[in-house]
mmCIF file of all heavy atoms in Angstrom:
data_model
loop_
_atom_site.group_PDB
_atom_site.id
_atom_site.type_symbol
_atom_site.label_atom_id
_atom_site.label_comp_id
_atom_site.label_asym_id
_atom_site.label_seq_id
_atom_site.Cartn_x
_atom_site.Cartn_y
_atom_site.Cartn_z
ATOM 1 N N LEU H 19 178.638 113.468 57.777
ATOM 2 C CA LEU H 19 177.688 114.380 57.140
ATOM 3 C C LEU H 19 177.866 114.281 55.562
ATOM 4 O O LEU H 19 178.894 114.434 55.082
ATOM 5 C CB LEU H 19 177.815 115.830 57.672
ATOM 6 C CG LEU H 19 177.744 116.021 59.177
ATOM 7 C CD1 LEU H 19 178.000 117.506 59.435
ATOM 8 C CD2 LEU H 19 176.325 115.733 59.482
ATOM 9 N N TRP H 20 176.727 114.016 54.910
ATOM 10 C CA TRP H 20 176.673 113.771 53.481
ATOM 11 C C TRP H 20 175.759 114.791 52.870
ATOM 12 O O TRP H 20 174.673 115.022 53.292
ATOM 13 C CB TRP H 20 176.148 112.315 53.159
ATOM 14 C CG TRP H 20 176.882 111.262 53.747
ATOM 15 C CD1 TRP H 20 176.743 110.758 55.112
ATOM 16 C CD2 TRP H 20 177.868 110.386 53.205
ATOM 17 N NE1 TRP H 20 177.715 109.771 55.178
ATOM 18 C CE2 TRP H 20 178.377 109.523 54.091
ATOM 19 C CE3 TRP H 20 178.440 110.485 51.921
ATOM 20 C CZ2 TRP H 20 179.291 108.503 53.873
ATOM 21 C CZ3 TRP H 20 179.402 109.504 51.562
ATOM 22 C CH2 TRP H 20 179.911 108.582 52.563
ATOM 23 N N ASN H 21 176.373 115.407 51.783
ATOM 24 C CA ASN H 21 175.481 116.362 50.939
ATOM 25 C C ASN H 21 174.605 115.449 50.047
ATOM 26 O O ASN H 21 175.053 114.748 49.284
ATOM 27 C CB ASN H 21 176.406 117.204 50.068
ATOM 28 C CG ASN H 21 175.579 118.208 49.177
ATOM 29 O OD1 ASN H 21 174.352 118.150 49.222
ATOM 30 N ND2 ASN H 21 176.255 118.925 48.394
ATOM 31 N N VAL H 22 173.292 115.438 50.351
ATOM 32 C CA VAL H 22 172.395 114.669 49.569
ATOM 33 C C VAL H 22 171.332 115.621 48.884
ATOM 34 O O VAL H 22 170.210 115.067 48.687
ATOM 35 C CB VAL H 22 171.653 113.616 50.458
ATOM 36 C CG1 VAL H 22 172.621 112.599 50.893
ATOM 37 C CG2 VAL H 22 171.035 114.246 51.660
ATOM 38 N N ASP H 23 171.721 116.660 48.603
ATOM 39 C CA ASP H 23 170.780 117.661 47.782
ATOM 40 C C ASP H 23 170.716 117.188 46.385
ATOM 41 O O ASP H 23 171.269 117.773 45.456
ATOM 42 C CB ASP H 23 171.278 119.016 47.909
ATOM 43 C CG ASP H 23 170.337 120.127 47.377
ATOM 44 O OD1 ASP H 23 169.082 119.742 47.185
ATOM 45 O OD2 ASP H 23 170.700 121.146 47.027
ATOM 46 N N LEU H 24 169.974 116.069 46.141
ATOM 47 C CA LEU H 24 169.901 115.463 44.836
ATOM 48 C C LEU H 24 168.794 116.136 44.111
ATOM 49 O O LEU H 24 167.725 116.296 44.632
ATOM 50 C CB LEU H 24 169.569 113.973 44.916
ATOM 51 C CG LEU H 24 170.702 113.166 45.730
ATOM 52 C CD1 LEU H 24 170.209 111.650 45.881
ATOM 53 C CD2 LEU H 24 172.004 113.222 44.999
ATOM 54 N N PRO H 25 168.962 116.445 42.868
ATOM 55 C CA PRO H 25 167.804 117.179 42.135
ATOM 56 C C PRO H 25 166.761 116.027 41.732
ATOM 57 O O PRO H 25 167.119 114.853 41.766
ATOM 58 C CB PRO H 25 168.531 117.537 40.779
ATOM 59 C CG PRO H 25 169.742 116.734 40.729
ATOM 60 C CD PRO H 25 170.154 116.347 42.024
ATOM 61 N N ASP H 26 165.654 116.515 41.475
ATOM 62 C CA ASP H 26 164.485 115.664 41.074
ATOM 63 C C ASP H 26 164.979 115.190 39.567
ATOM 64 O O ASP H 26 165.791 115.769 38.952
ATOM 65 C CB ASP H 26 163.215 116.372 40.999
ATOM 66 C CG ASP H 26 163.138 117.475 40.112
ATOM 67 O OD1 ASP H 26 162.851 117.169 38.833
ATOM 68 O OD2 ASP H 26 163.448 118.643 40.444
ATOM 69 N N PRO H 27 164.514 114.031 39.291
ATOM 70 C CA PRO H 27 164.957 113.480 37.959
ATOM 71 C C PRO H 27 164.801 114.420 36.778
ATOM 72 O O PRO H 27 165.725 114.557 35.938
ATOM 73 C CB PRO H 27 164.051 112.314 37.697
ATOM 74 C CG PRO H 27 163.665 111.845 39.151
ATOM 75 C CD PRO H 27 163.541 113.134 39.934
ATOM 76 N N SER H 28 163.719 115.159 36.633
ATOM 77 C CA SER H 28 163.538 116.033 35.387
ATOM 78 C C SER H 28 164.680 117.196 35.584
ATOM 79 O O SER H 28 165.186 117.552 34.508
ATOM 80 C CB SER H 28 162.249 116.602 35.289
ATOM 81 O OG SER H 28 161.854 117.277 36.479
ATOM 82 N N ARG H 29 164.856 117.708 36.713
ATOM 83 C CA ARG H 29 165.890 118.788 36.818
ATOM 84 C C ARG H 29 167.251 118.164 36.551
ATOM 85 O O ARG H 29 168.033 118.798 35.787
ATOM 86 C CB ARG H 29 165.836 119.340 38.189
ATOM 87 C CG ARG H 29 166.748 120.677 38.267
ATOM 88 C CD ARG H 29 166.690 121.300 39.632
ATOM 89 N NE ARG H 29 167.583 120.608 40.505
ATOM 90 C CZ ARG H 29 167.694 120.860 41.796
ATOM 91 N NH1 ARG H 29 166.952 121.773 42.400
ATOM 92 N NH2 ARG H 29 168.588 120.192 42.586
ATOM 93 N N ALA H 30 167.534 116.928 37.045
ATOM 94 C CA ALA H 30 168.841 116.356 36.687
ATOM 95 C C ALA H 30 168.973 116.148 35.224
ATOM 96 O O ALA H 30 170.127 116.467 34.591
ATOM 97 C CB ALA H 30 169.003 115.027 37.410
ATOM 98 N N ILE H 31 167.913 115.648 34.528
ATOM 99 C CA ILE H 31 168.102 115.472 33.083
ATOM 100 C C ILE H 31 168.381 116.804 32.310
ATOM 101 O O ILE H 31 169.195 116.981 31.428
ATOM 102 C CB ILE H 31 166.783 114.778 32.461
ATOM 103 C CG1 ILE H 31 166.695 113.403 33.020
ATOM 104 C CG2 ILE H 31 166.749 114.783 30.950
ATOM 105 C CD1 ILE H 31 165.438 112.737 32.796
ATOM 106 N N ARG H 32 167.665 117.901 32.798
ATOM 107 C CA ARG H 32 167.862 119.206 32.210
ATOM 108 C C ARG H 32 169.255 119.667 32.429
ATOM 109 O O ARG H 32 169.873 120.211 31.508
ATOM 110 C CB ARG H 32 166.878 120.250 32.713
ATOM 111 C CG ARG H 32 165.473 120.110 32.186
ATOM 112 C CD ARG H 32 164.671 121.372 32.555
ATOM 113 N NE ARG H 32 164.633 121.677 33.923
ATOM 114 C CZ ARG H 32 163.757 121.113 34.827
ATOM 115 N NH1 ARG H 32 162.906 120.233 34.444
ATOM 116 N NH2 ARG H 32 163.782 121.562 36.129
ATOM 117 N N ASN H 33 169.851 119.472 33.586
ATOM 118 C CA ASN H 33 171.161 119.845 33.971
ATOM 119 C C ASN H 33 172.172 119.152 33.119
ATOM 120 O O ASN H 33 173.180 119.688 32.540
ATOM 121 C CB ASN H 33 171.567 119.664 35.333
ATOM 122 C CG ASN H 33 170.732 120.609 36.323
ATOM 123 O OD1 ASN H 33 170.180 121.526 35.873
ATOM 124 N ND2 ASN H 33 170.778 120.245 37.522
ATOM 125 N N ILE H 34 171.950 117.833 32.896
ATOM 126 C CA ILE H 34 172.899 117.029 31.997
ATOM 127 C C ILE H 34 172.782 117.480 30.567
ATOM 128 O O ILE H 34 173.755 117.633 29.990
ATOM 129 C CB ILE H 34 172.493 115.531 32.172
ATOM 130 C CG1 ILE H 34 172.859 115.057 33.502
ATOM 131 C CG2 ILE H 34 173.304 114.757 31.085
ATOM 132 C CD1 ILE H 34 172.314 113.696 33.998
ATOM 133 N N CYS H 35 171.562 117.746 30.101
ATOM 134 C CA CYS H 35 171.478 118.151 28.703
ATOM 135 C C CYS H 35 172.165 119.439 28.481
ATOM 136 O O CYS H 35 172.790 119.682 27.391
ATOM 137 C CB CYS H 35 169.996 118.240 28.327
ATOM 138 S SG CYS H 35 169.089 116.662 28.286
ATOM 139 N N GLU H 36 172.003 120.441 29.414
ATOM 140 C CA GLU H 36 172.691 121.715 29.295
ATOM 141 C C GLU H 36 174.178 121.583 29.289
ATOM 142 O O GLU H 36 174.860 122.223 28.596
ATOM 143 C CB GLU H 36 172.238 122.631 30.370
ATOM 144 C CG GLU H 36 170.835 123.089 30.295
ATOM 145 C CD GLU H 36 170.338 123.840 31.444
ATOM 146 O OE1 GLU H 36 171.126 124.176 32.412
ATOM 147 O OE2 GLU H 36 169.135 124.196 31.472
ATOM 148 N N ALA H 37 174.672 120.621 30.101
ATOM 149 C CA ALA H 37 176.145 120.358 30.242
ATOM 150 C C ALA H 37 176.784 119.802 29.020
ATOM 151 O O ALA H 37 177.796 120.239 28.576
ATOM 152 C CB ALA H 37 176.521 119.564 31.411
ATOM 153 N N VAL H 38 176.052 118.834 28.319
ATOM 154 C CA VAL H 38 176.527 118.221 27.175
ATOM 155 C C VAL H 38 176.096 118.895 25.906
ATOM 156 O O VAL H 38 176.579 118.519 24.830
ATOM 157 C CB VAL H 38 176.281 116.718 27.102
ATOM 158 C CG1 VAL H 38 176.791 115.912 28.296
ATOM 159 C CG2 VAL H 38 174.782 116.433 27.032
ATOM 160 N N ASP H 39 175.098 119.830 25.971
ATOM 161 C CA ASP H 39 174.569 120.475 24.825
ATOM 162 C C ASP H 39 174.170 119.478 23.672
ATOM 163 O O ASP H 39 174.563 119.619 22.585
ATOM 164 C CB ASP H 39 175.569 121.501 24.319
ATOM 165 C CG ASP H 39 174.877 122.451 23.349
ATOM 166 O OD1 ASP H 39 173.674 122.687 23.421
ATOM 167 O OD2 ASP H 39 175.635 123.021 22.498
ATOM 168 N N ALA H 40 173.329 118.441 24.060
ATOM 169 C CA ALA H 40 173.021 117.504 23.088
ATOM 170 C C ALA H 40 171.668 116.931 23.389
ATOM 171 O O ALA H 40 171.202 116.929 24.542
ATOM 172 C CB ALA H 40 174.104 116.328 22.978
ATOM 173 N N SER H 41 171.130 116.214 22.405
ATOM 174 C CA SER H 41 169.827 115.479 22.658
ATOM 175 C C SER H 41 170.082 114.055 23.019
ATOM 176 O O SER H 41 171.183 113.535 22.628
ATOM 177 C CB SER H 41 168.935 115.480 21.390
ATOM 178 O OG SER H 41 168.696 116.771 20.924
ATOM 179 N N LEU H 42 169.120 113.443 23.721
ATOM 180 C CA LEU H 42 169.340 112.017 24.029
ATOM 181 C C LEU H 42 168.804 111.206 22.793
ATOM 182 O O LEU H 42 167.769 111.525 22.251
ATOM 183 C CB LEU H 42 168.541 111.599 25.214
ATOM 184 C CG LEU H 42 168.962 112.193 26.634
ATOM 185 C CD1 LEU H 42 168.079 111.756 27.678
ATOM 186 C CD2 LEU H 42 170.445 111.862 26.880
ATOM 187 N N THR H 43 169.546 110.136 22.384
ATOM 188 C CA THR H 43 169.144 109.333 21.355
ATOM 189 C C THR H 43 167.976 108.432 21.930
ATOM 190 O O THR H 43 167.802 108.301 23.083
ATOM 191 C CB THR H 43 170.297 108.357 20.902
ATOM 192 O OG1 THR H 43 170.617 107.564 22.031
ATOM 193 C CG2 THR H 43 171.560 109.102 20.501
ATOM 194 N N PRO H 44 167.209 107.723 20.994
ATOM 195 C CA PRO H 44 166.107 106.834 21.536
ATOM 196 C C PRO H 44 166.687 105.815 22.405
ATOM 197 O O PRO H 44 166.041 105.466 23.439
ATOM 198 C CB PRO H 44 165.700 106.193 20.181
ATOM 199 C CG PRO H 44 165.807 107.344 19.136
ATOM 200 C CD PRO H 44 167.208 107.938 19.494
ATOM 201 N N LEU H 45 167.849 105.232 22.192
ATOM 202 C CA LEU H 45 168.546 104.237 23.056
ATOM 203 C C LEU H 45 168.837 104.832 24.445
ATOM 204 O O LEU H 45 168.412 104.254 25.488
ATOM 205 C CB LEU H 45 169.758 103.606 22.519
ATOM 206 C CG LEU H 45 170.471 102.639 23.387
ATOM 207 C CD1 LEU H 45 169.574 101.406 23.640
ATOM 208 C CD2 LEU H 45 171.760 102.185 22.683
ATOM 209 N N GLU H 46 169.341 106.058 24.485
ATOM 210 C CA GLU H 46 169.669 106.726 25.725
ATOM 211 C C GLU H 46 168.400 106.972 26.505
ATOM 212 O O GLU H 46 168.362 106.875 27.771
ATOM 213 C CB GLU H 46 170.385 108.034 25.485
ATOM 214 C CG GLU H 46 171.904 107.752 24.992
ATOM 215 C CD GLU H 46 172.518 109.020 24.410
ATOM 216 O OE1 GLU H 46 171.835 109.919 23.989
ATOM 217 O OE2 GLU H 46 173.822 108.986 24.498
ATOM 218 N N GLN H 47 167.241 107.427 25.711
ATOM 219 C CA GLN H 47 166.027 107.697 26.470
ATOM 220 C C GLN H 47 165.458 106.578 27.085
ATOM 221 O O GLN H 47 165.074 106.556 28.276
ATOM 222 C CB GLN H 47 165.081 108.331 25.421
ATOM 223 C CG GLN H 47 165.364 109.733 24.955
ATOM 224 C CD GLN H 47 164.314 110.180 23.894
ATOM 225 O OE1 GLN H 47 163.319 109.557 23.635
ATOM 226 N NE2 GLN H 47 164.682 111.363 23.308
ATOM 227 N N SER H 48 165.584 105.341 26.419
ATOM 228 C CA SER H 48 165.100 104.142 27.045
ATOM 229 C C SER H 48 165.966 103.729 28.236
ATOM 230 O O SER H 48 165.349 103.139 29.151
ATOM 231 C CB SER H 48 164.856 103.136 25.987
ATOM 232 O OG SER H 48 166.174 102.627 25.497
ATOM 233 N N ARG H 49 167.157 103.933 28.096
ATOM 234 C CA ARG H 49 168.063 103.459 29.220
ATOM 235 C C ARG H 49 168.059 104.391 30.387
ATOM 236 O O ARG H 49 168.047 103.887 31.529
ATOM 237 C CB ARG H 49 169.530 103.501 28.565
ATOM 238 C CG ARG H 49 170.606 103.028 29.670
ATOM 239 C CD ARG H 49 171.915 102.940 29.151
ATOM 240 N NE ARG H 49 172.003 101.960 28.031
ATOM 241 C CZ ARG H 49 172.931 101.914 27.127
ATOM 242 N NH1 ARG H 49 173.820 102.797 27.007
ATOM 243 N NH2 ARG H 49 172.902 100.907 26.248
ATOM 244 N N TYR H 50 167.912 105.697 30.235
ATOM 245 C CA TYR H 50 168.058 106.567 31.281
ATOM 246 C C TYR H 50 166.700 107.167 31.777
ATOM 247 O O TYR H 50 166.611 107.733 32.958
ATOM 248 C CB TYR H 50 168.978 107.719 30.963
ATOM 249 C CG TYR H 50 170.330 107.168 30.630
ATOM 250 C CD1 TYR H 50 170.929 107.449 29.354
ATOM 251 C CD2 TYR H 50 171.027 106.505 31.496
ATOM 252 C CE1 TYR H 50 172.167 107.034 28.953
ATOM 253 C CE2 TYR H 50 172.344 105.938 31.199
ATOM 254 C CZ TYR H 50 172.836 106.179 29.953
ATOM 255 O OH TYR H 50 174.063 105.734 29.644
ATOM 256 N N LEU H 51 165.726 107.236 30.979
ATOM 257 C CA LEU H 51 164.407 107.863 31.400
ATOM 258 C C LEU H 51 163.497 106.874 32.021
ATOM 259 O O LEU H 51 162.430 107.318 32.496
ATOM 260 C CB LEU H 51 163.706 108.587 30.181
ATOM 261 C CG LEU H 51 164.563 109.729 29.570
ATOM 262 C CD1 LEU H 51 163.860 110.338 28.523
ATOM 263 C CD2 LEU H 51 165.054 110.666 30.680
ATOM 264 N N HIS H 52 163.728 105.524 31.957
ATOM 265 C CA HIS H 52 162.916 104.556 32.681
ATOM 266 C C HIS H 52 161.451 104.765 32.322
ATOM 267 O O HIS H 52 160.732 104.762 33.268
ATOM 268 C CB HIS H 52 163.219 104.559 34.184
ATOM 269 C CG HIS H 52 164.647 104.363 34.452
ATOM 270 N ND1 HIS H 52 165.292 103.153 34.263
ATOM 271 C CD2 HIS H 52 165.574 105.255 34.966
ATOM 272 C CE1 HIS H 52 166.628 103.410 34.620
ATOM 273 N NE2 HIS H 52 166.761 104.577 35.050
ATOM 274 N N GLY H 53 161.154 104.766 31.085
ATOM 275 C CA GLY H 53 159.708 104.809 30.748
ATOM 276 C C GLY H 53 159.038 106.171 30.802
ATOM 277 O O GLY H 53 157.894 106.322 30.545
ATOM 278 N N GLN H 54 159.855 107.171 31.213
ATOM 279 C CA GLN H 54 159.163 108.617 31.227
ATOM 280 C C GLN H 54 159.103 109.055 29.779
ATOM 281 O O GLN H 54 159.674 108.580 28.919
ATOM 282 C CB GLN H 54 160.133 109.588 31.992
ATOM 283 C CG GLN H 54 160.301 109.213 33.469
ATOM 284 C CD GLN H 54 161.180 110.199 34.133
ATOM 285 O OE1 GLN H 54 161.274 111.375 33.711
ATOM 286 N NE2 GLN H 54 161.947 109.680 35.146
ATOM 287 N N SER H 55 158.263 109.992 29.565
ATOM 288 C CA SER H 55 158.120 110.631 28.261
ATOM 289 C C SER H 55 159.375 111.157 27.820
ATOM 290 O O SER H 55 160.225 111.734 28.514
ATOM 291 C CB SER H 55 157.037 111.798 28.440
ATOM 292 O OG SER H 55 157.122 112.595 27.226
ATOM 293 N N ALA H 56 159.580 111.108 26.500
ATOM 294 C CA ALA H 56 160.845 111.667 25.896
ATOM 295 C C ALA H 56 160.895 113.110 26.031
ATOM 296 O O ALA H 56 161.896 113.657 25.884
ATOM 297 C CB ALA H 56 160.899 111.190 24.461
ATOM 298 N N GLU H 57 159.774 113.772 26.221
ATOM 299 C CA GLU H 57 159.632 115.133 26.426
ATOM 300 C C GLU H 57 160.406 115.652 27.692
ATOM 301 O O GLU H 57 160.795 116.771 27.917
ATOM 302 C CB GLU H 57 158.251 115.639 26.431
ATOM 303 C CG GLU H 57 157.579 115.480 25.067
ATOM 304 C CD GLU H 57 156.000 115.559 25.120
ATOM 305 O OE1 GLU H 57 155.466 115.836 26.276
ATOM 306 O OE2 GLU H 57 155.381 115.321 24.124
ATOM 307 N N THR H 58 160.595 114.655 28.592
ATOM 308 C CA THR H 58 161.326 114.964 29.891
ATOM 309 C C THR H 58 162.887 115.102 29.494
ATOM 310 O O THR H 58 163.467 115.703 30.254
ATOM 311 C CB THR H 58 161.060 113.750 30.904
ATOM 312 O OG1 THR H 58 159.716 113.605 31.026
ATOM 313 C CG2 THR H 58 161.783 114.163 32.147
ATOM 314 N N GLY H 59 163.284 114.402 28.490
ATOM 315 C CA GLY H 59 164.755 114.471 28.144
ATOM 316 C C GLY H 59 165.148 115.591 27.466
ATOM 317 O O GLY H 59 164.497 116.655 27.397
ATOM 318 N N CYS H 60 166.359 115.605 26.852
ATOM 319 C CA CYS H 60 166.935 116.676 26.107
ATOM 320 C C CYS H 60 166.165 117.029 24.895
ATOM 321 O O CYS H 60 165.717 116.021 24.160
ATOM 322 C CB CYS H 60 168.304 116.376 25.740
ATOM 323 S SG CYS H 60 169.474 116.052 27.185
ATOM 324 N N GLN H 61 165.914 118.287 24.651
ATOM 325 C CA GLN H 61 165.208 118.634 23.448
ATOM 326 C C GLN H 61 166.319 119.301 22.464
ATOM 327 O O GLN H 61 167.215 119.927 22.854
ATOM 328 C CB GLN H 61 164.151 119.733 23.733
ATOM 329 C CG GLN H 61 163.077 119.274 24.810
ATOM 330 C CD GLN H 61 162.317 118.074 24.212
ATOM 331 O OE1 GLN H 61 161.819 118.056 23.036
ATOM 332 N NE2 GLN H 61 162.252 116.959 24.998
ATOM 333 N N PRO H 62 166.053 119.033 21.190
ATOM 334 C CA PRO H 62 167.023 119.656 20.217
ATOM 335 C C PRO H 62 167.070 121.153 20.407
ATOM 336 O O PRO H 62 166.051 121.827 20.735
ATOM 337 C CB PRO H 62 166.420 119.293 18.903
ATOM 338 C CG PRO H 62 165.441 118.160 19.091
ATOM 339 C CD PRO H 62 164.947 118.285 20.543
ATOM 340 N N ALA H 63 168.226 121.755 20.239
ATOM 341 C CA ALA H 63 168.410 123.211 20.286
ATOM 342 C C ALA H 63 167.631 123.824 19.207
ATOM 343 O O ALA H 63 167.541 123.356 18.094
ATOM 344 C CB ALA H 63 169.851 123.606 20.298
ATOM 345 N N ALA H 64 167.105 125.051 19.436
ATOM 346 C CA ALA H 64 166.283 125.782 18.452
ATOM 347 C C ALA H 64 167.347 126.235 17.392
ATOM 348 O O ALA H 64 168.454 126.762 17.825
ATOM 349 C CB ALA H 64 165.591 126.946 18.965
ATOM 350 N N PRO H 65 167.029 126.172 16.013
ATOM 351 C CA PRO H 65 167.909 126.715 15.063
ATOM 352 C C PRO H 65 168.128 128.247 15.057
ATOM 353 O O PRO H 65 167.447 128.975 15.624
ATOM 354 C CB PRO H 65 167.277 126.239 13.731
ATOM 355 C CG PRO H 65 165.759 125.919 14.025
ATOM 356 C CD PRO H 65 165.765 125.792 15.521
#
């Protein structure tokens, strides 16, 4: 029996961004977002 409750990609990205508390660089966006909008990735924290 395998736990396969995998988040959808946008939820996974949000979870990762919250965990590392950082924005993705342009290189990271191209590497990990596979052509998705950069708006899907980590957004800078509000000042």
Side-chain angles (χ1 to χ4, degrees):
L19 298 176
W20 301 83
N21 177 1
V22 293
D23 186 20
L24 302 173
D26 64 88
S28 60
R29 188 176 84 183
I31 291 167
R32 283 193 308 274
N33 290 346
I34 292 167
C35 293
E36 289 172 6
V38 298
D39 193 28
S41 302
L42 295 178
T43 67
L45 177 61
E46 291 167 331
Q47 288 178 6
S48 68
R49 182 177 293 159
Y50 303 119
L51 297 182
H52 305 288
Q54 295 180 33
S55 167
E57 295 163 3
T58 306
C60 301
Q61 300 299 312

